[in-house]
Amino acid sequence: MKDYGADITCGEMAVATNLLQGQASEWALLKRHPCEDIFGIQIAACNEAVCERVGQLIHEETEVDFVDLNMGCPLDFICSRGMGSQLMMRKSKMEKCVSALSRCLKVPVTVK
């Protein structure tokens, strides 16, 4: 995308629980290409404890400029687990997830 003029790039959505389980295919979604000067990652998570653990892991293991918490994915696979657009419908959980990520990370947290 940098070749087409994108200033900011973001990896594909990674499921937080898969990252915590160490799934190589999920970790591959967080890899930054050397040409990506402003790069973020997007995660799907559903509760404060998972956000706290994955936030700490992201802080320790990656070099990213921002982390986006997905609250827009409508896929049944994601929503049936309380993530994506389902998380947006649960204000208390959403607030706890954003707060947990913000506490763990030294980079901005965005939501979409």
Side-chain angles (χ1 to χ4, degrees):
M1 297 313 314
K2 292 295 291 181
D3 289 342
Y4 293 108
D7 293 321
I8 300 170
T9 54
C10 187
E12 293 181 57
M13 180 182 69
V15 176
T17 52
N18 294 348
L19 294 170
L20 293 172
Q21 293 170 0
Q23 291 183 13
S25 60
E26 213 72 15
W27 277 97
L29 301 174
L30 309 187
K31 291 195 178 179
R32 176 186 209 143
H33 188 273
C35 76
E36 294 176 296
D37 47 344
I38 302 175
F39 176 73
I41 59 175
Q42 184 182 80
I43 61 167
C46 64
N47 65 57
E48 181 180 15
V50 168
C51 285
E52 191 168 341
R53 290 194 325 257
V54 81
Q56 187 61 38
L57 198 56
I58 289 168
H59 173 71
E60 294 169 359
E61 301 294 329
T62 67
E63 289 188 26
V64 298
D65 298 300
F66 65 92
V67 174
D68 183 74
L69 178 61
N70 181 292
M71 285 195 276
C73 183
L75 294 176
D76 288 341
F77 169 78
I78 298 297
C79 290
S80 67
R81 290 163 177 78
M83 301 179 286
S85 57
Q86 184 63 33
L87 179 62
M88 183 173 51
M89 305 300 290
R90 302 167 77 194
K91 183 180 178 189
S92 177
K93 281 193 178 265
M94 183 245 335
E95 289 173 344
K96 289 176 183 175
C97 285
V98 173
S99 293
L101 286 171
S102 294
R103 283 192 308 270
C104 295
L105 296 165
K106 304 294 185 216
V107 297
V109 174
T110 63
V111 295
K112 153 183 104 51

